[in-house]
Amino acid sequence: MPKTRPVARTPIPTVDSLPDDIRARILTVQEKSGFIPNVFLMLAHRPAEFRAFMAYHDTLMDKSEGVTKAEREMIVVAVSALNQCQYCVVAHGAILRIRAKNPLIADQVAANWRKADISDKQKAMLEFAIKVTLRANEVNDADHDALRQAGFDDEAIWDIAAIAAFFGMSNRLANVTNLRPNDEFYAMGRG
């Protein structure tokens, strides 16, 4: 039996000790999914940052114009694999499997998105997200033109870049805090 690890290196508050708005959000997620994702507990010890993080997360991830919700998760998985963020690969991999209705896609994207069973348009999207992650200073007009040729408009291009950038930050926080994925995520969306 593996040794039980703490959720994260940060203080983990009890749900009852949280401000009303944060407690309500966490309990809603728990009711819907059957568990509390550890990222909520890791961030909740700093309520103002929790609110800001979640507001931007929701703004980026809850819309489907230009980039589908599954493609948004695909970006998160590809960027998180590159950043070696176990939490985000596992958690967002589960969401990707569910949103894409494909039990294989998250593992394919995490292992090597260039060989994954995804469209050329999606590969262009991930190529750009990876460049934003590794070499944003080198992004140029040709990168934008390539995405437009693949079928993305300027708003979608912004979303791809913003998701890659946001999860670069999220990956770093998860890695620094040694955030542990919930066991429940591993089986979600697998069939």
Side-chain angles (χ1 to χ4, degrees), residues 74-103:
M74 198 180 294
I75 294 165
V76 177
V77 171
V79 166
S80 299
L82 180 67
N83 289 325
Q84 298 183 25
C85 181
Q86 182 187 41
Y87 184 89
C88 291
V89 168
V90 172
H92 288 274
I95 299 167
L96 173 56
R97 288 189 297 272
I98 291 166
R99 290 196 167 160
K101 297 177 178 56
N102 180 338

Side-chain angles (χ1 to χ4, degrees), residues 33-108:
S33 66
F35 65 98
I36 300 171
N38 288 340
V39 69
F40 285 84
L41 299 173
M42 183 265 293
L43 291 169
H45 82 283
R46 299 184 82 165
E49 291 175 36
F50 177 96
R51 291 179 188 106
F53 182 97
M54 289 300 173
Y56 196 46
H57 171 278
D58 295 350
T59 299
L60 289 173
M61 301 303 289
D62 287 348
K63 61 184 175 178
S64 55
E65 302 85 25
V67 181
T68 68
K69 288 184 178 184
E71 288 169 337
R72 291 170 190 277
E73 296 297 338
M74 198 180 294
I75 294 165
V76 177
V77 171
V79 166
S80 299
L82 180 67
N83 289 325
Q84 298 183 25
C85 181
Q86 182 187 41
Y87 184 89
C88 291
V89 168
V90 172
H92 288 274
I95 299 167
L96 173 56
R97 288 189 297 272
I98 291 166
R99 290 196 167 160
K101 297 177 178 56
N102 180 338
L104 306 178
I105 192 162
D107 294 329
Q108 291 177 350

Side-chain angles (χ1 to χ4, degrees), residues 26-37 184-185 188:
I26 288 174
L27 292 175
T28 298
V29 169
Q30 181 181 32
E31 185 177 316
K32 183 177 178 182
S33 66
F35 65 98
I36 300 171
E184 292 89 345
F185 282 127
M188 290 172 60

